[in-house]
Amino acid sequence: MRRYSTTAEPAPAEPANSLFQGGGARRSDWQTVRNLLPYVWHYKWRVMLALTCLVAAKVANLGVPVLMKKLVDSMNIAPGDPAALLAVPVGLIVGYGLLRLSSTLFTELREILFSKVTQSAVREIALQVFRHLHALSLRFHLDRQTGGMSRDIERGTRGIQSLISYSLYSILPTLVEMSLVIGFFVVRYDIWFAAITICALAGYIVFTIVVTEWRTHFRRKMNELDSRANQKAIDSLLNFETVKYFGNEEYEAHRYDENLRTYRTAAIRSQNSLSFLNFGQQAIIALGLILILWRATVGVAAGKLTLGDLVLVNTLMIQLYIPLNFLGVIYREIKQATTDMDRMFVLLGTQQEVADTPGAPVLDVNGAEVRFRHVGFGYEKNRVILDDVDFTIAAGTTTAVVGHSGSGKSTLARLLFRFYDVTRGSIEVDGQDIRKVRQVSLRASIGIVPQDTVLFNDSIYYNIAYGRPEATREEVIEAARAAQIDTFISELPQGYDTPVGERGLKLSGGEKQRVAIARTLLKNPPILVFDEATSALDSRTEQAIQSELMRLAQNRTTLLIAHRLSTVVHADQILVMDRGRIIERGTHAELMRANGHYAEMWQIQARNAAEGSPDADALAIDVGDATQDA
């Protein structure tokens, strides 16, 4: 049974003080807030209007208990007095209601104004994170585990949103209200009311900071264990078939459960410390309330204050208590947000290993001659992969590179794409050093049909159109026809909308290769790279696809990397590599006449093919080259 097999929106300008400057060291909380301010200040007029509404709302909020005091004091009316109805302070009652309504109105206006600021800042930062990760080198991504990194980014982005919202949207209103209440106590009452309030605030803030700093490491530990568990889960699911092949479902579940158990322990400790923090905060608030109410009660008993003053003081303290309690929650959330952002800042602080030089020009392709000029390279300083590799691929010709696994063949393709920079020498396209041109223009000029075609978990149409996203549907279908996969697609129930599954696993190897060919045809680049494009296929499929590759390579500058020598006999030039050096070069006929290493490899493969037992080197998938080189 057969297995089933646009122009981007312009990005907003980045602030001059980028959030992502600096190295990978953990940033202080203030530095994090300071680095977020440029994104918020893009909308400075909206921010200033929102802050005006904030102050207006807090002033109205302070006026509510003041009017209540006047209302209580004015109700000194004897029961049964015929003039009682006339003495009802209607104006104070209406004013009380209007102040409450205006406080809510200004608060909602502030939220409406500031919501766009918050969401826009988060969008800009998230987009910059995404672009930054794509700008990092292949070496960085080979060293990372995708599951853990995706969870770090998810938590970090959410932490940025929380930090913006809490620090610039909640803390400031709370500070304004506290300042207004303390100032009112100083002006209206004796210094003791303000002193008690300030001491309660100071004690609350100090206690919150000390305890929160102590419990922060619990949160960081939870993040580490959460990322580790997620890494194990995603790695296991991505290798679903391998798990099934070896019957290791329970082994994988046990590994996952080990991380879940340690995460549970850290989460319980975090919750226990949170409960201690909450109780301590409430104790400080309760003590402050007792002291200030005692002071107000003594004033009423001494005749210095009225019952309205007692109601006013109590109401102000309750109003202050609510944001003060919220301030503790906010501080904890900010500490958690900065902890969540810590790992993402490490990612964002990673410098680009391969970066465009300032003002680099676009690659000017005129014929597409490729020259490797005495190239030396090593993934590590003490391990040489390429040593003095020097050759030229003339415009419109095909150069094949053969050799055993680990000889450095696939490294040539990676260097040509500039996934890494050469250690010595240079690589030139039409005489232009690829290190001195813009990478996007270089890669736009190169197409590749890889050994292992990895597809997006989307439709067949999407994967073909990925070669040139702005292409029309007719152009995509024409590319599929040229790759001889249109007939197969038409037979599928969903046609071009058929999903290919994770990494294209619903398609066979030959079908995936044809999708890769169609994608490259649609891109229509002047330079082609075939990196073991048929090594994983059976002989019949290989022959069909090989003819398609040869047709695709016509009139293009082509680098053909292969194990099977039968696929390179048509090449204008064949390079034989061993241990990172070119040991032979020439056409097939010239190399056979030389009776050297190439001729020996050809005889071995021919003998094995005749005996029906293909040589391992001849038929092996070049995974060793990709992994051993790296």
Side-chain angles (χ1 to χ4, degrees):
M1 181 177 180
R2 168 171 280 177
R3 293 185 301 168
Y4 282 172
S5 36
T6 54
T7 302
E9 178 185 355
E14 296 176 2
N17 296 328
S18 174
L19 169 65
F20 311 128
Q21 60 192 355
R26 191 177 189 277
R27 303 155 191 262
S28 67
D29 296 342
W30 167 241
Q31 184 180 3
T32 301
V33 175
R34 186 183 60 194
N35 285 331
L36 288 174
L37 291 179
Y39 295 91
V40 176
W41 201 242
H42 281 174
Y43 310 91
K44 53 181 175 294
W45 296 112
R46 182 178 286 266
V47 170
M48 292 171 67
L49 187 57
L51 294 178
T52 302
C53 291
L54 182 156
V55 175
K58 293 309 175 184
V59 170
N61 204 40
L62 180 63
V64 169
V66 174
L67 276 184
M68 177 60 71
K69 164 194 157 36
K70 293 183 178 180
L71 183 60
V72 171
D73 289 340
S74 67
M75 293 303 293
N76 188 17
I77 303 172
D81 189 338
L85 289 177
L86 297 177
V88 172
V90 178
L92 290 177
I93 294 174
V94 174
Y96 179 85
L98 290 176
L99 275 178
R100 277 199 171 277
L101 181 61
S102 63
S103 175
T104 302
L105 174 63
F106 285 123
T107 299
E108 295 304 322
L109 284 175
R110 180 199 65 187
E111 292 184 3
I112 291 172
L113 289 168
F114 214 87
S115 61
K116 181 178 180 179
V117 178
T118 302
Q119 295 303 322
S120 298
V122 169
R123 170 180 171 267
E124 290 179 29
I125 295 171
L127 182 60
Q128 195 170 349
V129 172
F130 187 76
R131 285 179 168 161
H132 181 75
L133 289 176
H134 275 287
L136 295 178
S137 68
L138 178 62
R139 189 196 310 273
F140 170 84
H141 288 282
L142 290 176
D143 290 338
R144 303 296 298 185
Q145 287 188 299
T146 305
M149 186 169 62
S150 65
R151 184 63 66 92
D152 291 339
I153 296 170
E154 176 189 348
R155 277 200 309 261
T157 306
R158 189 171 59 244
I160 289 174
Q161 184 171 2
S162 299
L163 189 61
I164 294 176
S165 177
Y166 289 136
S167 62
L168 301 177
Y169 185 65
S170 298
I171 287 183
L172 190 56
T174 303
L175 294 177
V176 169
E177 183 157 9
M178 288 192 301
S179 300
L180 289 174
V181 170
I182 293 172
F184 182 80
F185 280 158
V186 171
V187 173
R188 181 65 178 81
Y189 301 107
D190 64 58
I191 194 65
W192 284 106
F193 287 92
I196 293 172
T197 303
I198 292 174
C199 288
L201 288 174
Y204 183 94
I205 292 172
V206 170
F207 176 79
T208 300
I209 291 175
V210 171
V211 176
T212 302
E213 289 292 339
W214 164 68
R215 65 181 300 270
T216 296
H217 76 278
F218 292 128
R219 178 71 182 190
R220 186 175 292 114
K221 184 66 175 179
M222 286 172 58
N223 285 351
E224 293 174 358
L225 295 173
D226 183 39
S227 294
R228 192 179 305 166
N230 195 55
Q231 289 171 2
K232 299 295 184 185
I234 290 183
D235 194 39
S236 178
L237 293 174
L238 288 177
N239 292 280
F240 171 82
E241 292 184 74
T242 304
V243 174
K244 287 294 185 182
Y245 289 153
F246 294 93
N248 281 339
E249 294 90 343
E250 282 304 313
Y251 173 73
E252 292 295 329
H254 178 69
R255 285 207 310 162
Y256 184 54
D257 188 43
E258 284 183 349
N259 288 281
L260 291 179
R261 282 200 301 266
T262 52
Y263 175 82
R264 180 187 62 181
T265 301
I268 291 173
R269 290 177 179 174
S270 179
Q271 182 58 48
N272 291 344
S273 64
L274 177 60
S275 298
F276 171 72
L277 177 60
N278 287 336
F279 179 78
Q281 290 171 336
Q282 298 309 312
I284 294 172
I285 289 296
L287 180 59
L289 277 173
I290 291 171
L291 291 175
I292 205 162
L293 286 178
W294 168 78
R295 188 69 188 174
T297 303
V298 170
V300 172
K304 295 179 181 180
L305 300 178
T306 65
L307 288 176
D309 289 314
L310 179 62
V311 172
L312 173 59
V313 170
N314 183 64
T315 305
L316 286 177
M317 284 304 294
I318 291 176
Q319 283 189 185
L320 186 59
Y321 162 77
I322 295 173
L324 184 60
N325 183 62
F326 192 51
L327 179 63
V329 176
I330 293 299
Y331 181 76
R332 293 197 304 269
E333 290 297 324
I334 287 178
K335 293 301 295 184
Q336 290 181 359
T338 53
T339 301
D340 290 342
M341 293 162 61
D342 187 21
R343 285 195 174 191
M344 191 178 71
F345 280 135
V346 172
L347 295 176
L348 296 171
T350 304
Q351 299 298 317
Q352 287 183 243
E353 181 181 347
V354 179
D356 288 337
T357 57
V362 173
L363 177 67
D364 182 19
V365 179
N366 184 19
E369 179 187 82
V370 176
R371 172 74 191 272
F372 280 69
R373 191 184 295 274
H374 301 288
V375 169
F377 176 75
Y379 294 100
E380 301 170 4
K381 291 183 179 180
N382 58 349
R383 185 182 175 206
V384 176
I385 300 298
L386 299 179
D387 182 16
D388 196 31
V389 172
D390 188 272
F391 66 92
T392 300
I393 309 177
T397 66
T398 297
T399 292
V401 181
V402 299
H404 297 293
S405 295
S407 60
K409 304 186 303 298
S410 292
T411 300
L412 296 176
R414 291 178 176 180
L415 293 177
L416 180 59
F417 270 95
R418 209 184 165 205
F419 289 157
Y420 304 91
D421 276 335
V422 298
T423 307
R424 295 184 306 278
S426 64
I427 301 175
E428 300 172 359
V429 175
D430 286 334
Q432 302 159 81
D433 191 329
I434 63 173
R435 291 172 295 187
K436 298 178 180 179
V437 299
R438 293 180 60 187
Q439 295 178 62
V440 64
S441 64
L442 170 67
R443 291 166 188 158
S445 303
I446 307 174
I448 185 168
V449 180
Q451 167 190 329
D452 182 18
T453 300
V454 178
L455 304 181
F456 291 95
N457 191 1
D458 209 303
S459 65
I460 293 178
Y461 180 89
Y462 176 87
N463 278 280
I464 295 177
Y466 200 79
R468 185 156 51 90
E470 69 276 10
T472 65
R473 187 173 184 86
E474 290 72 21
E475 290 174 323
V476 172
I477 294 174
E478 182 59 33
R481 289 197 186 106
Q484 299 185 21
I485 194 175
D486 178 66
T487 302
F488 161 73
I489 297 173
S490 301
E491 294 173 352
L492 298 174
Q494 295 176 259
Y496 280 87
D497 295 326
T498 301
V500 302
E502 189 82 37
R503 294 179 298 151
L505 291 178
K506 290 186 178 181
L507 301 180
S508 68
E511 291 157 359
K512 287 198 296 183
Q513 289 297 77
R514 283 189 167 92
V515 170
I517 293 171
R519 186 162 58 188
T520 303
L521 282 168
L522 187 65
K523 185 177 181 180
N524 193 29
I527 302 173
L528 287 176
V529 176
F530 300 144
D531 188 1
E532 294 287 354
T534 62
S535 64
L537 305 179
D538 59 83
S539 299
R540 178 178 299 178
T541 304
E542 179 191 5
Q543 290 177 0
I545 290 183
Q546 187 64 33
S547 62
E548 295 166 17
L549 295 180
M550 292 176 64
R551 185 168 59 254
L552 178 59
Q554 289 178 358
N555 301 319
R556 303 177 197 264
T557 304
T558 305
L559 175 62
L560 175 58
I561 299 169
H563 260 316
R564 300 180 186 178
L565 302 188
S566 59
T567 64
V568 305
V569 293
H570 64 280
D572 300 287
Q573 176 183 212
I574 301 174
L575 308 177
V576 183
M577 293 191 66
D578 185 43
R579 298 182 181 180
R581 299 181 65 90
I582 298 175
I583 57 175
E584 293 179 357
R585 70 179 73 203
T587 63
H588 171 73
E590 291 170 346
L591 292 174
M592 290 298 293
R593 285 195 299 269
N595 199 28
H597 192 76
Y598 178 87
E600 181 183 353
M601 293 171 60
W602 178 270
Q603 292 167 5
I604 292 174
Q605 292 187 21
R607 183 170 59 252
N608 289 336
E611 295 174 355
S613 56
D615 176 74
D617 276 341
L619 301 179
I621 303 172
D622 195 18
V623 174
D625 198 5
T627 55
Q628 191 172 353
D629 284 357

